[in-house]
């Protein structure tokens, strides 16, 4: 009798698809990302309306829905001439049918993933009276992979490239590529730059164009276009020309022919991303030409095919008195001079993807040029794939600042530097997947709150149980502020170690290293105080901002030391408090995660626990290193209640973390 009952329960729980899923008793690797849907016993009935032709993209939409849709409602897909965006969709209900309608097959695919997401997050009421209409906010929603042709990934913390240095034969039917495309499509990402902005000219070799074409073929049905980063000196290095001067006729001809060759292999190729005259990369400046002249030459050659140029504004000279000023100084005079198929791609902040920076002044002032923000999904400066730092809150802060001045977000494209590699869980950590997810969701709809995104992601990646989702949503949404607190509170920035951007080395300043690659250039600690004076008495960076933003940034507590040099008397205690808060927050994350054990499979639970543990220890490392070092200037005691340091400054100063193998940062050897 007992046995029969046991089997009945098993059967029932399988049929109803609960029980096992809720308690997560099976092993998981994280490879399924947020797409851990379970196939019900019975396939759903998904139909194509009579007036709609099947395409490979629609085929995927049908396949996904018929596999994973668990309701007994039938679904009808239809291409219709609706007054919505090309990637948008409309979902309505009539009788017992759900209709997904869109102008394009991509819209139908997005509609399909929308339904499945609503199903997985337990939020699936579709009313007959009110159709759901969704359109993406940005037209270009693009990942930037900093993947090198030898398979390594610059600032990648999740293994090797899934695109390069893979035997050609394996590439065409590469499951990983399809899984990658599917994951991106499920959150609406529609473009990907396949190689590092520090681009090898070899990316444009015949062989690599062929490889790119294979990749494009796999990604195409998922609505994803491919783009390449190109090296501005390619005509010289690859083409053997004596120059790469953008105004030279032979150079223009070389690019035109190269671009024709690319489009011959990839008719829907997206275009180029260019890092020029930055950190040693070649560019039009080598020939005394402007960024606009360089970008326009490429844009003209791409125009007949509908291709675009994303031209990066990340530039700074070694001797500049304030690196934060440079992009604005160089690009503002060019406003209005770029072709309309050029988009100037600007990092969110003027420095470099720091845990917190104000928005780049270019976003407020470049009004006659297409611009787009570049976010960094990979956690180069926010704890790699070890620390949990949910970046949605950072990106929201950026959107809010831009909107406060310009009313709307003045761009139609957005890029995120990917955190993806060939590691089993894609991102080197399960929590880091949330940033890939959040980038896609915000690129579709920047109005979504971080809480909504976090809880959606948690539900799909782990479980719907409120006792898990609620506390973990708080952890995710607090995590970025915690990182700021224990790394660089109050506007301090770029005080990372010399050889990696993981740990602290506010003292790092060896002779011979360019000043703007050393922390003292940024924190400016001295016997009087700390902080970078960017007011009129200093670099006057504040003057690059329009009035309203300028006064906000000038007074904002979170940017105090970004814009001001402040006396120790006025800031020391607060600084200690911030670092202490950061440590407490990081320790709190460990406690919350420990109490989540019953909701998470053992594998993912244990791995993540080790990471949270490490993060808390690193918070101490950061706090002690920074406060003990700054104390050598402030000469002030730790305020009452501030805990005694765990480390000695001289030990930390001797300590060299080996980061030569980024994929397996040996976290056990940290102090
Ligand atoms: C910095 C990275 C460097 C990149 C550069 C860039 O440290 O690896 O090449 O940005 O964005 O953050 O070009």
């Amino acid at each position: 009798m007992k046995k029969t009952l046991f089997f009945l329960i098993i059967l029932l729980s399988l049929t109803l698809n609960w029980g096992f899923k809720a308690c997560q008793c099976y092993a998981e690797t994280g490879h399924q990302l947020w797409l851990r849907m379970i196939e019900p016993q019975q396939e759903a009935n998904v139909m194509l309306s009579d007036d709609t032709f099947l395409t490979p993209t629609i085929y995927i939409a049908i396949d996904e829905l018929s596999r994973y849709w668990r309701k007994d409602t039938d679904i009808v897909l239809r291409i219709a001439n609706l007054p919505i965006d090309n990637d948008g969709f409309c979902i309505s209900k009539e009788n017992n049918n759900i209709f997904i309608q869109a102008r394009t097959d991509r819209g139908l695919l997005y509609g399909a993933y929308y339904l499945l997401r609503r199903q997985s997050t337990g939020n699936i009421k579709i009313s007959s009276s009110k159709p759901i209409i969704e359109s993406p906010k940005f037209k270009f929603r693009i990942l930037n992979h900093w993947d090198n042709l030898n398979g390594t990934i610059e600032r990648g913390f999740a293994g090797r490239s899934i695109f390069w240095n893979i035997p050609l034969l394996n590439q065409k039917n590469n499951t990983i590529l399809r899984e990658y495309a599917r994951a991106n499509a499920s959150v609406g990402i529609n473009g990907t730059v396949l190689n590092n902005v520090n681009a090898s000219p070899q990316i444009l070799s015949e062989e690599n164009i062929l490889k790119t074409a294979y990749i494009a073929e796999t990604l195409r049905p998922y609505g994803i276009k491919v783009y390449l980063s190109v090296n501005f000196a390619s005509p010289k290095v690859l083409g053997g020309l004596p120059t790469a001067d953008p105004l030279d006729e032979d150079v223009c001809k070389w690019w035109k022919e190269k671009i024709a060759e690319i489009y011959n292999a990839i008719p829907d190729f997206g275009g180029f991303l260019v890092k020029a005259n930055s950190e040693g990369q070649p560019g039009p400046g080598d020939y005394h030409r402007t960024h606009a002249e360089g970008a326009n030459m490429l844009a003209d050659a791409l125009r007949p095919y509908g291709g675009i140029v994303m031209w990066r504004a990340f530039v700074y000279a070694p001797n500049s008195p304030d690196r934060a000023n440079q992009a604005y100084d160089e690009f503002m005079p060019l406003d209005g001079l770029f072709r309309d198929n050029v988009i100037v791609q600007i990092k969110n902040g003027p420095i470099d993807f720091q845990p917190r920076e104000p928005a780049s002044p270019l976003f407020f002032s470049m009004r006659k040029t297409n611009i787009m923000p570049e976010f960094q999904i990979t956690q180069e400066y926010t704890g790699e794939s070890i620390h949990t730092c949910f970046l949605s809150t950072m990106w929201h802060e950026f959107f809010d600042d831009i909107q406060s001045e310009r009313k709307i977000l003045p761009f139609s494209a957005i890029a995120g530097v990917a955190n993806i590699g060939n590691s089993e869980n894609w991102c080197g950590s399960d929590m880091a997947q949330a940033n890939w997810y959040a980038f896609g969701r915000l690129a579709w709809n920047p109005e979504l709150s971080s809480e909504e995104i976090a809880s959606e992601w948690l539900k799909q990646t782990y479980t719907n149980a409120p006792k898990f989702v609620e506390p973990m949503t708080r952890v995710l949404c607090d995590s970025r502020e915690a990182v700021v607190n224990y790394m660089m509170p109050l506007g301090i920035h770029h005080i990372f170690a010399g050889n990696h951007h993981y740990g602290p080395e506010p003292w790092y300043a060896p002779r011979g290293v360019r000043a703007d690659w050393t922390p003292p250039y940024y924190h400016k600690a001295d016997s009087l105080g700390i902080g970078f004076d960017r007011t009129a008495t200093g670099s006057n960076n504040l003057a690059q901002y329009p009035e309203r933003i300028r006064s906000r940034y000038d007074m904002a507590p979170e940017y105090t030391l970004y814009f001001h040099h402040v006396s120790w008397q006025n800031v020391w205690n607060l600084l200690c408090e911030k670092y202490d808060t950061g440590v407490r927050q990081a320790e709190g994350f460990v406690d919350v995660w420990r109490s989540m054990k019953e909701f998470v499979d053992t594998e993912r639970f244990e791995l993540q626990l080790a990471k949270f543990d490490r993060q808390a220890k690193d918070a101490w490392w950061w706090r002690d290193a920074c406060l003990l070092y700054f104390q050598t200037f402030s000469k002030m005691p730790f305020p009452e209640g501030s805990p005694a340091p765990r480390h000695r400054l001289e030990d930390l100063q001797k300590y060299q973390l080996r980061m030569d193998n980024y994929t397996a940062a040996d976290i056990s050897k940290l102090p």
Side-chain angles (χ1 to χ4, degrees):
M1 174 63 195
K2 257 192 183 161
K3 231 179 181 175
T4 329
L5 194 64
F6 177 73
F7 279 116
L8 262 177
I9 289 174
I10 299 262
L11 196 68
L12 192 67
S13 68
L14 283 176
T15 324
L16 294 181
N17 192 19
W18 48 252
F20 286 120
K21 197 179 169 210
C23 78
Q24 302 287 349
C25 304
Y26 53 90
E28 294 211 33
T29 60
H31 190 73
Q32 289 174 285
L33 297 160
W34 49 88
L35 293 164
R36 294 162 51 260
M37 297 175 287
I38 294 175
E39 297 189 27
Q41 301 248 301
Q42 190 150 8
E43 270 203 4
N45 198 10
V46 184
M47 293 162 290
L48 203 53
S49 97
D50 290 345
D51 53 358
T52 299
F53 291 107
L54 186 65
T55 67
T57 303
I58 296 184
Y59 179 84
I60 296 169
I62 295 180
D63 184 55
E64 294 278 18
L65 288 167
S66 41
R67 262 174 213 270
Y68 299 114
W69 184 245
R70 292 201 297 264
K71 308 272 172 212
D72 51 11
T73 1
D74 294 346
I75 300 182
V76 183
L77 304 184
R78 177 162 183 255
I79 298 279
N81 197 13
L82 304 175
I84 52 172
D85 182 272
N86 272 343
D87 284 359
F89 56 82
C90 168
I91 298 179
S92 54
K93 196 170 175 194
E94 268 172 53
N95 306 322
N96 203 27
N97 287 338
I98 291 180
F99 284 86
I100 308 182
Q101 299 187 77
R103 292 174 73 92
T104 65
D105 52 1
R106 289 191 312 279
L108 292 181
L109 185 63
Y110 295 138
Y113 285 123
Y114 174 93
L115 272 185
L116 292 171
R117 175 168 57 245
R118 294 275 296 252
Q119 172 173 266
S120 305
T121 52
N123 173 12
I124 196 58
K125 285 211 183 65
I126 296 167
S127 92
S128 309
S129 54
K130 201 164 166 264
I132 295 161
I133 296 174
E134 286 242 340
S135 285
K137 168 77 184 170
F138 306 119
K139 181 171 172 206
F140 299 96
R141 308 174 293 278
I142 302 185
L143 287 183
N144 288 185
H145 289 267
W146 285 358
D147 294 18
N148 298 311
L149 295 179
N150 65 6
T152 57
I153 303 178
E154 179 149 349
R155 312 303 179 185
F157 314 107
R160 292 174 63 84
S161 173
I162 58 169
F163 304 118
W164 304 109
N165 207 16
I166 294 167
L168 190 58
L169 274 179
N170 293 355
Q171 203 139 34
K172 199 166 180 182
N173 291 316
N174 196 335
T175 325
I176 285 282
L177 285 186
R178 267 200 307 279
E179 291 172 339
Y180 163 84
R182 176 178 183 238
N184 281 321
S186 77
V187 289
I189 289 168
N190 68 353
T192 178
V193 182
L194 300 175
N195 63 312
N196 193 353
V197 285
N198 297 317
S200 159
Q202 290 307 322
I203 189 68
L204 295 179
S205 72
E206 216 174 294
E207 187 197 344
N208 285 324
I209 292 177
L210 193 64
K211 280 191 186 176
T212 306
Y214 279 155
I215 298 170
E217 207 173 288
T218 313
L219 307 193
R220 185 172 297 117
Y222 291 88
I224 298 168
K225 275 194 184 191
V226 302
Y227 300 76
L228 292 175
S229 295
V230 295
N231 182 302
F232 202 77
S234 302
K236 248 169 105 175
V237 186
L238 194 66
L241 298 186
T243 174
D245 181 347
L247 300 192
D248 181 279
E249 260 179 40
D250 289 339
V251 169
C252 297
K253 186 161 164 276
W254 186 88
W255 280 110
K256 277 191 186 144
E257 286 170 6
K258 194 40 95 181
I259 287 168
E261 183 188 338
I262 298 175
Y263 277 92
N264 193 30
I266 314 162
D268 57 352
F269 179 71
F272 292 151
L273 172 63
V274 191
K275 170 175 177 176
N277 294 120
S278 165
E279 299 185 330
Q281 292 300 318
D286 304 348
Y287 309 96
H288 308 291
R289 312 293 183 201
T290 65
H291 287 287
E293 285 169 317
N296 291 346
M297 179 271 294
L298 293 175
D300 289 342
L302 285 159
R303 178 184 304 281
Y305 309 93
I308 61 167
V309 176
M310 291 164 286
W311 190 271
R312 296 177 90 226
F314 178 66
V315 291
Y316 61 102
N319 303 320
S320 147
D322 186 358
R323 168 173 171 176
N325 283 353
Q326 195 164 343
Y328 183 96
D329 288 345
E330 232 171 271
F331 278 82
M332 265 318 284
L334 303 176
D335 192 16
L337 300 182
F338 291 92
R339 298 281 192 267
D340 62 3
N341 60 333
V342 174
I343 312 180
V344 174
Q345 181 168 314
I346 309 163
K347 288 189 181 183
N348 57 292
I351 303 287
D352 193 5
F353 299 139
Q354 297 302 291
R356 170 168 279 131
E357 314 179 38
S360 163
L362 285 170
F363 289 108
F364 303 104
S365 302
M366 262 198 130
R367 289 173 180 248
K368 292 181 281 182
T369 303
N370 297 320
I371 52 174
M372 66 191 282
E374 176 180 311
F375 292 153
Q376 196 180 43
I377 307 170
T378 188
Q379 292 172 241
E380 171 181 1
Y381 294 105
T382 51
E384 302 194 352
S385 55
I386 297 171
H387 295 198
T388 289
C389 181
F390 183 52
L391 296 167
S392 173
T393 49
M394 175 196 284
W395 300 332
H396 261 294
E397 206 168 276
F398 167 82
F399 290 145
D400 289 349
D401 279 355
I402 306 300
Q403 258 168 317
S404 73
E405 175 66 19
R406 299 203 58 178
K407 307 295 173 252
I408 51 149
L409 294 175
F411 24 84
S412 60
I414 186 162
V417 181
N419 60 352
I420 298 160
N422 71 353
S423 72
E424 188 59 29
N425 65 7
W426 298 91
C427 302
S429 123
D430 295 327
M431 289 295 158
Q433 297 172 357
N435 289 328
W436 176 7
Y437 183 86
F439 173 76
R441 297 291 286 132
L442 285 174
W444 183 277
N445 179 8
E447 306 277 301
L448 286 171
S449 72
S450 296
E451 286 74 14
E452 280 174 278
I453 298 174
S455 94
E456 261 184 15
W457 176 79
L458 286 162
K459 286 175 180 176
Q460 294 168 90
T461 306
Y462 294 98
T463 165
N464 272 307
K467 284 194 172 152
F468 174 83
V469 176
E470 283 160 23
M472 285 310 295
T473 298
R474 278 199 302 280
V475 165
L476 285 182
C477 291
D478 290 346
S479 59
R480 184 272 188 141
E481 200 60 42
V483 170
V484 170
N485 284 336
Y486 64 70
M487 285 188 184
M488 300 175 212
L490 297 175
I492 302 180
H493 51 288
H494 227 318
I495 55 170
F496 293 94
N499 297 320
H500 54 82
H501 293 154
Y502 182 76
E505 247 177 52
W507 49 82
Y508 175 81
R511 237 187 282 154
V513 174
R514 52 188 269 187
D516 57 354
W517 285 352
T518 69
Y521 174 97
Y522 298 97
H523 63 63
K524 303 243 184 286
D526 56 24
S527 60
L528 302 177
I530 176 173
F532 202 127
D533 182 2
R534 294 193 163 106
T535 67
T537 53
S539 76
N540 212 11
N541 169 261
L542 261 179
Q544 294 187 341
Y545 291 94
E547 175 54 34
R548 226 165 345 148
I549 293 289
R550 189 189 318 155
S551 26
R552 189 177 97 62
Y553 281 166
D554 190 14
M555 305 303 289
E558 68 272 28
Y559 293 125
T560 309
L561 303 179
Y562 184 92
F563 287 112
H564 305 273
H565 191 72
V566 181
S567 74
W568 289 116
Q569 275 68 27
N570 283 334
V571 81
W572 174 251
N573 283 1
L574 192 55
L575 195 63
C576 294
E577 253 171 54
K578 287 282 178 193
Y579 275 107
D580 293 348
T581 305
V583 168
R584 269 200 313 277
Q585 286 175 297
E587 288 181 333
F589 299 159
V590 184
D591 296 339
V592 176
W593 186 252
R594 270 188 208 286
S595 67
M596 296 297 134
K597 195 171 166 59
E598 63 178 300
F599 300 107
V600 184
D601 52 291
T602 317
E603 287 69 17
R604 288 190 300 168
F605 179 80
E606 294 297 338
L607 276 175
Q608 189 53 50
L609 182 59
K611 293 201 186 238
F612 273 127
D613 256 334
R614 184 65 252 172
Q615 181 168 5
K617 290 199 177 94
D618 289 345
W620 274 98
W621 176 26
W622 269 97
R623 179 250 185 207
D624 287 355
C626 296
L627 288 182
L628 289 172
Y629 167 72
F630 291 137
Q631 196 178 35
T632 64
F633 298 93
S634 81
K635 313 268 189 245
M636 292 173 72
F638 282 30
E640 214 184 318
S642 187
R646 285 187 176 176
H647 309 88
R648 294 184 324 160
L649 182 59
E650 59 262 44
D651 295 336
L652 294 175
Q653 287 186 317
K654 270 188 246 141
Y655 178 71
Q656 286 293 316
L657 173 63
R658 289 195 47 175
M659 298 303 270
D660 44 358
N661 183 356
Y662 265 72
T663 55
D666 187 358
I667 57 176
S668 60
K669 295 209 185 89
L670 293 171

